[in-house]
Amino acid sequence: MSSEQPPKRPERAARRGAPSTPTAAATPVAPHVASALAASSPWAYAPAPESKELALIRPRYGLFIDGQERAPASGEVVITYNPATEEPLAEVAKGSAEDADRAISAAERAHRKTWSKLAPRERAKFLYRISRILQERSREFAVTETLDSGKPIRESRDVDVPLAAAHFWYYAGWADKLEYAVPGRRPESHGVVGQVIPWNFPLLMLAWKIAPALAAGNTVVLKPASTTPLTALLFAEVCRQADLPPGVVNIITGPGEMGMAIATDPRVAKVAFTGSTSVGIKIAQGIAGHGKALTLELGGKAANIVFDDAALDQAVEGVINGIFFNQGEVCCAGSRLLVQESIAEEFVARLKDRMATLRVGDPMDKNTDVGAINSLAQMETIGELVASGVAEGAELWQPGCVLPDRGWFYKPTLFTNVAQSHRIAREEIFGPVLSTITFRTVDEAIEKANNTAYGLSAGIWTEKGSRILQVAAQLKAGVVWANTFNRFDPTSPFGGYKESGYGREGGLQGLHAYLRGA
Ligand code: NDP
């Protein structure tokens, strides 16, 4: 077996989350905030680390095919790293098109012989069982997710894992009620579905995809992202623990080309992809003309719009949550702050005060708000886009927080004086970087919010209910949150317009995507 070399340590400027240009010095925080943050102040937090021992990470993992752990045809492995320490966590099988072929054969057999023959209420029992096991093993999943992805344990514990379990619970309820999901028709499963997921919410994206697929009677071949395979491989153990029939779920790790091999295989009737718009386009091109069903959940550049009548402190919290949740590595992140000009100065001042209190660092510490960036490649993307913002004339501000010496960390970053033409206003940064744009009228806010190639999500902050309805109806975004942001629920559909993709995940609409002719 051969293995890949560890990535090189990034340059110091990138590692510290600092832009490379001298014009970008951090502005001191407000004195009252600075004093509150001083180590000797009553507000200093003692470390509250979660135990790493809860994650029983094995040194090496194979592929999960036909209910068994298999060695990859290549005999090769890749290493998955802890982004917070840059240390290796485990060796993971490097699958190939040959392995995809074996997994698809297993899924096709399981669909034909077992899963499609099973009474729907029996399928539901498996989903309930999976949900319960996820709940029982939630701490193990949360710790594994945080070690592999860099996200704060507070978020994996309180968001990713409970929501993943809730998705299986919700879709278990649909499994024996499919005729009510599509009234007047006889809904049928597609057969084998191929699913490719990203690294920002590894377990949650798995749940979004596998739960409705199984409830609708399909079998699955799923490829996790190469930098975050561990919770998907732990989920393979859950499938075995739940006695799920072999071949119903197959999880194969490997490079992007293997994802394409899954998507283009003629036996795969439906493809679901979450990731970058560029890869989404490649997949759509690769399967065009083959009659496959396809859902694409791609990037975003959401506007979080704050009107002058909004409750400002609540709006500040919503903007903070909108961009710094999961280090901003969120497709629906509120990465463009649109703030009404009359309150812009006051709002930005409050935002800076709040940003100065964010705790950036060890994702395993329960106090941490902003964890590690998932990979060195993503750090470099963020660094490059931030440098472009400075070069194009936007004004950068970062709090004076101290980052750990090791690991891929980036300081929470705020840009003001941003023009709509700047790259930081147009491109998905996928990091803790907020670009501020002002507006004067409601129409201008709507026009600027829609001035993007994407259309995944948006936020509106105002006291006026009528304004919420007026603005939401004109925003070209699949999800619009009002006086909140980043709220997810298994019963609620999620998906985009334009370059954010098409199709919906979650809710009844998410079930339809896995039913033929729904
Ligand atoms: P990708 O789109 O490359 O990765 C997402 C998934 O697709 C991974 O499992 C990846 O595998 C797989 N993949 C890669 N290439 C192919 C291919 N040719 N055919 C089929 N599957 C493929 O995203 P990146 O990881 O490169 O991130 C780049 C940017 O994409 C980010 O900076 C962010 O802007 C955006 N992004 C958006 C996400 C979203 O939720 N909408 C999620 C992730 C990224 P592998 O990991 O092995 O390469």
Side-chain angles (χ1 to χ4, degrees), residues 280-305:
I281 290 170
K282 278 188 203 161
I283 289 181
Q285 287 169 341
I287 66 171
H290 292 274
K292 292 174 193 263
L294 174 65
T295 42
L296 294 175
E297 202 268 270
L298 309 175
K301 193 74 192 174
N304 211 351
I305 309 170

Side-chain angles (χ1 to χ4, degrees), residues 147 265 312 315 355 380 513:
L147 291 175
D265 189 289
L312 291 195
M355 281 173 67
E380 287 170 348

Side-chain angles (χ1 to χ4, degrees), residues 195-201 205 223-228 253-263 273-280 282-283 297-300 329-332 374-375 377-378 381-382 385 427-431 454 456 494 500:
Q195 305 179 323
V196 179
I197 58 171
W199 42 262
N200 53 345
F201 293 92
M205 289 303 104
K223 181 197 121 47
S226 291
T227 58
T228 52
T253 47
E257 306 90 72
M258 195 190 68
M260 188 58 94
I262 297 171
F273 171 77
T274 298
S276 62
T277 298
S278 58
V279 172
K282 278 188 203 161
I283 289 181
E297 202 268 270
L298 309 175
E329 296 166 323
V330 183
C331 48
C332 55
N374 181 248
S375 66
Q378 190 58 27
T381 303
I382 297 168
L385 279 158
E427 296 181 29
E428 185 177 48
I429 301 176
F430 230 62
Y454 295 107
L456 192 55
F494 182 91
S500 294

Side-chain angles (χ1 to χ4, degrees), residues 58-118:
R58 291 157 37 194
R60 183 171 288 186
Y61 290 85
L63 308 167
F64 182 62
I65 298 177
D66 212 9
Q68 300 290 324
E69 187 166 343
R70 308 280 166 103
S74 68
E76 292 181 40
V77 295
V78 289
I79 297 172
T80 182
Y81 291 88
N82 179 344
T85 61
E86 302 171 47
E87 283 163 5
L89 284 170
E91 290 180 351
V92 173
K94 186 175 179 185
S96 59
E98 207 176 315
D99 300 302
D101 180 67
R102 286 197 290 165
I104 294 164
S105 297
E108 192 277 324
R109 214 167 31 245
H111 182 260
R112 189 162 31 85
K113 293 190 171 170
T114 326
W115 201 239
S116 65
K117 299 275 195 305
L118 214 55

Side-chain angles (χ1 to χ4, degrees), residues 10-31:
E11 292 304 312
R12 192 164 177 77
R15 292 187 65 246
R16 310 299 298 165
S20 51
T21 119
T23 56
T27 309
V29 299

Side-chain angles (χ1 to χ4, degrees), residues 209-221:
K209 293 203 164 31
I210 294 185
L214 298 193
N218 303 280
T219 56
V220 166
V221 177

Side-chain angles (χ1 to χ4, degrees), residues 427-439:
E427 296 181 29
E428 185 177 48
I429 301 176
F430 230 62
V433 182
L434 181 63
S435 301
T436 308
I437 295 169
T438 58
F439 67 89

